[in-house]
């Protein structure tokens, strides 16, 4: 029962969301159309000699709004009486309607903090926003048919829906967080295409600006000849600003190689201007190259597509860390095709007919500009991407194995108890001293005699049969049974480790029959030791005095 009750509510909420999206699209179209209408009516009011009334101004606004979507217009009031097409789109005007549609689709899918508001699917939102926008556009096309600038129905049926749906799609993509394709190759190719387009059109704008600065006097003369009153000056200035993106696309097409047409039979390329151009007086057209062969300054524009292809290939090469060479080359080639498709679309929008006869072809040829972009990307971008990939993989290769450096092996250390323990001693053991190499103990005990000590007795003397000091690493001499043995109470009743391993450091003449040490010269200050204490080691307490011999 609960499921049956909630289902109509959910469906009704989604229907309301789609209706809201459709209204958003219509409002976006009305805002763009209204903004252009305000500008045109303001210019009409400020003009001292208006050619028509308010109806003519509104028809002009409707025609400019359709022209901003790529729709060709037809001029009916020509001197010859024959209709003339007008297909050059001021590309800065395209930014306003595209941004409005983009924002409408983004706001439809972006619920914000209203989590309970129903959210339509992505495709439904794009379709609803585009549908509402196209309803207003269809009414505008019908309205423009009764004015001096009617819309061409063929281009209106092709370009108008494509621009609207594309802008709505980018808005939905933005609302979803601008996700890229799951494959790393496709995502890297899209990023490379964006970098290549920005570099190409940025360089084209710089080249066009430099040419316009070199022909500043001719541009000023053309501007002065067109304007009259201050309203005319403002109108021409606004038209120049609207055509600045077209100027950047023309500069990019010029650097790519094919150049652009200046009427039928005239072509401007870096090699020179061929044919008889039909150029109307306009400030931006004053930046066109002069007739004749091109100079080194014209040839320098070729650096623009070269830089774009190099940066595009470098971007792909840095992304292709663990790709194969085949995948890298195919991805770079796909990026070249994507960049060529975008350039072809923009070149087609930046140019077009300005009339009939010789003005039927004006601006870049879209398929030539696109093909040249693909060739630059394939011939320059692909090798650069492979080279950058190889260089990056070279840094990841392991270095040559070096010869092993011998590491000094530390000498074994022996932590032993104090030597010279008295047999049968019941006192507590003294604190353990610092660990000293046993070899150093024997060496020092053999080389440095104790204070007041004398050399070992000569052969034949008492104690001569005892084990004598010997160098480390050599076998000690056998000790006769019962001579100089130590019966201490250590662990396992083991003999003194230092004395048995390296021999008696003091010689057999320094041991008494009880196993302790004695001074043969009756020196009361005699103190046996097995090594010299270091400066930082605390002095050990003197060993207990040996028991006095009995009277027996």
């Amino acid at each position: 029962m609960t499921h049956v009750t909630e289902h109509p509510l959910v469906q009704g909420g989604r229907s309301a969301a789609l209706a809201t999206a459709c209204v958003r699209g219509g409002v976006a179209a009305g805002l763009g159309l209204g903004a252009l209408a305000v500008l045109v009516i303001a210019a009409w009011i400020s003009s001292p000699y208006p050619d028509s009334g308010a109806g003519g101004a509104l028809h002009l606004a409707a025609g400019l709004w359709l022209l901003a979507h790529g729709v060709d217009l037809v001029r009916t009031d020509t001197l010859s009486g024959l209709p003339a097409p007008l297909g050059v789109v001021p590309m800065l005007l395209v930014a306003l309607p595209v941004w409005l549609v983009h924002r409408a689709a983004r706001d439809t899918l972006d619920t914000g903090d209203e989590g309970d508001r129903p959210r339509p699917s992505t495709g439904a939102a794009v379709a609803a926003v585009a549908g509402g926008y196209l309803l207003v556009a269809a009414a505008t096309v019908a309205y423009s048919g009764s004015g001096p600038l009617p819309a061409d129905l063929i281009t209106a049926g092709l370009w108008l829906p494509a621009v609207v749906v594309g802008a709505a799609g980018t808005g939905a993509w933005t609302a979803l967080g601008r996700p890229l394709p799951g494959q790393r190759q496709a995502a890297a190719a899209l990023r490379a295409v964006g970098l290549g387009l920005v570099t190409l059109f940025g360089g084209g704008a710089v080249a066009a600006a430099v040419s316009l600065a070199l022909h500043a006097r001719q541009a000023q003369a053309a501007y002065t000849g067109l304007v009259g009153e201050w309203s005319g000056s403002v109108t021409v200035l606004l038209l120049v600003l609207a055509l600045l993106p077209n100027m950047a696309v023309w500069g990019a097409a010029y650097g790519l190689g094919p150049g652009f047409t200046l009427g039928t039979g005239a072509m401007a390329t870096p090699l020179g201007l061929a044919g008889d151009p039909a150029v109307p007086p306009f400030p931006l057209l004053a930046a066109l190259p002069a007739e004749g062969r091109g100079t080194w300054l014209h040839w320098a524009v070729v650096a623009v597509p070269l830089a774009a292809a190099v940066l595009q290939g470098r971007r792909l090469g840095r992304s292709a860390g663990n790709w194969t060479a085949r995948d890298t080359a195919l991805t770079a080639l796909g990026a070249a095709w994507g960049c060529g498709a975008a350039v072809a679309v923009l070149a087609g929008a930046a140019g077009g007919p300005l009339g009939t006869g010789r003005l039927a072809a004006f601006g870049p040829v879209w398929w030539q500009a696109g093909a040249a972009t693909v060739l630059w990307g394939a011939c320059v971008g692909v090798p650069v991407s492979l080279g950058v990939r190889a260089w990056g993989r070279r840094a990841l290769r392991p270095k040559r194995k070096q010869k092993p450096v011998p590491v000094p092996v530390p000498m074994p250390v022996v932590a032993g108890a104090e030597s010279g323990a008295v047999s049968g001693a019941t006192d507590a053991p003294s604190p353990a001293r610092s660990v000293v190499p046993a070899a150093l103990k024997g060496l020092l005990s053999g080389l440095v005699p104790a204070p007041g000590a004398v050399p070992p007795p000569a052969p034949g003397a008492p104690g001569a049969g005892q084990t004598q000091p010997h160098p480390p690493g050599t076998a000690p001499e056998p000790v006769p049974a019962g001579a100089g043995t130590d019966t201490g109470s250590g662990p396992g009743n083991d003999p003194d480790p230092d004395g048995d391993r390296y021999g008696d450091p003091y010689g057999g003449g320094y041991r008494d029959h009880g196993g302790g040490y004695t001074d043969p010269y009756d020196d009361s200050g005699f103190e046996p030791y097995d090594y010299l204490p270091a400066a930082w080691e605390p002095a050990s307490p003197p060993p207990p005095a040996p028991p006095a011999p009995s009277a027996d």
Side-chain angles (χ1 to χ4, degrees), residues 291-407:
E291 298 182 8
R293 291 182 174 274
T295 61
W296 66 269
L297 189 60
H298 301 91
W299 300 336
V301 188
V302 181
V304 173
L306 179 62
V310 168
L311 291 178
Q312 182 174 331
R314 179 176 177 270
R315 181 64 179 269
L316 279 175
R318 295 183 65 181
S319 301
N322 54 354
W323 302 351
T324 62
R326 180 176 178 273
D327 292 342
T328 305
L330 290 178
T331 305
L333 192 59
W337 277 98
C339 192
V343 169
V345 171
L346 295 176
L354 284 179
T356 58
R358 299 184 60 189
L359 293 178
F362 204 77
V365 182
W366 65 272
W367 65 270
Q368 293 181 1
T373 306
V374 173
L375 287 178
W376 277 101
C379 298
V380 178
V382 174
V384 169
S385 62
L386 291 175
V388 173
R389 170 189 170 274
W391 183 263
R393 292 174 66 89
R394 174 183 176 274
L396 299 177
R397 293 176 183 173
K399 298 181 179 179
R400 294 182 178 179
K401 295 184 178 180
Q402 299 179 356
K403 295 182 178 180
V405 180
V407 180

Side-chain angles (χ1 to χ4, degrees), residues 213-278:
L214 295 177
H215 300 83
R217 185 173 299 178
Q218 293 85 337
Q220 184 179 4
Y223 180 79
T224 306
L226 288 176
V227 301
E229 300 293 334
W230 68 271
S231 58
S233 302
V234 173
T235 302
V236 174
L237 181 60
L238 291 177
L239 185 57
V240 167
L241 292 177
L243 289 171
L244 286 179
N246 300 59
M247 189 177 179
V249 177
W250 284 37
Y254 185 80
L256 285 170
F260 43 82
T261 60
L262 299 174
T264 56
M267 181 70 70
T269 63
L271 299 178
L273 179 59
D276 185 14

Side-chain angles (χ1 to χ4, degrees), residues 127-550:
V129 171
Y133 195 97
L134 290 176
L135 287 176
V136 179
T140 307
V141 170
Y143 176 75
S144 67
S146 59
L149 291 174
D152 183 28
L153 297 180
I154 297 177
T155 56
L158 292 177
W159 288 107
L160 188 58
V163 171
V164 173
V165 172
T170 57
W173 179 60
T174 303
L176 296 177
R178 299 184 180 90
L180 293 176
Q183 292 185 348
R184 292 186 57 189
Q185 288 86 352
L190 289 178
R191 295 190 185 97
V193 167
L195 180 61
L197 291 176
V198 169
T199 306
L200 185 62
F201 292 126
V206 172
V210 170
S211 180
L212 186 61
L214 295 177
H215 300 83
R217 185 173 299 178
Q218 293 85 337
Q220 184 179 4
Y223 180 79
T224 306
L226 288 176
V227 301
E229 300 293 334
W230 68 271
S231 58
S233 302
V234 173
T235 302
V236 174
L237 181 60
L238 291 177
L239 185 57
V240 167
L241 292 177
L243 289 171
L244 286 179
N246 300 59
M247 189 177 179
V249 177
W250 284 37
Y254 185 80
L256 285 170
F260 43 82
T261 60
L262 299 174
T264 56
M267 181 70 70
T269 63
L271 299 178
L273 179 59
D276 185 14
V279 180
F282 194 74
L284 292 181
L285 295 178
L288 297 176
E291 298 182 8
R293 291 182 174 274
T295 61
W296 66 269
L297 189 60
H298 301 91
W299 300 336
V301 188
V302 181
V304 173
L306 179 62
V310 168
L311 291 178
Q312 182 174 331
R314 179 176 177 270
R315 181 64 179 269
L316 279 175
R318 295 183 65 181
S319 301
N322 54 354
W323 302 351
T324 62
R326 180 176 178 273
D327 292 342
T328 305
L330 290 178
T331 305
L333 192 59
W337 277 98
C339 192
V343 169
V345 171
L346 295 176
L354 284 179
T356 58
R358 299 184 60 189
L359 293 178
F362 204 77
V365 182
W366 65 272
W367 65 270
Q368 293 181 1
T373 306
V374 173
L375 287 178
W376 277 101
C379 298
V380 178
V382 174
V384 169
S385 62
L386 291 175
V388 173
R389 170 189 170 274
W391 183 263
R393 292 174 66 89
R394 174 183 176 274
L396 299 177
R397 293 176 183 173
K399 298 181 179 179
R400 294 182 178 179
K401 295 184 178 180
Q402 299 179 356
K403 295 182 178 180
V405 180
V407 180
V409 179
M411 297 178 65
V413 295
V414 177
E418 294 186 28
S419 61
V422 179
S423 175
T426 58
D427 297 340
S430 60
R433 298 184 181 180
S434 301
V435 178
V436 179
L440 184 60
K441 291 182 183 181
L443 182 62
L444 291 177
S445 61
L447 295 179
V448 182
V454 296
Q466 305 291 336
T467 303
Q468 300 297 329
H470 58 274
T474 60
E477 296 180 1
V479 180
T485 58
D486 189 359
T487 59
S489 59
N493 294 330
D494 293 336
D496 184 18
D498 293 338
D500 290 350
R501 183 175 181 182
Y502 300 105
D504 188 1
Y506 302 104
Y510 292 87
R511 285 186 180 270
D512 57 6
H513 297 285
Y517 293 99
T518 181
D519 181 14
Y521 299 99
D522 297 331
D523 187 1
S524 61
F526 171 76
E527 179 182 359
Y529 60 91
D530 56 350
Y531 65 92
L532 293 177
W536 60 85
E537 294 181 348
S540 61
S550 59

Side-chain angles (χ1 to χ4, degrees), residues 4 22 29 52-54 79 95 111 117 134 137 187 219-220 266 306 344 452 489 518:
V4 175
C22 186
S52 59
L79 297 177
T111 58
R117 191 179 70 178
L134 290 176
Q220 184 179 4
L306 179 62
S489 59
T518 181

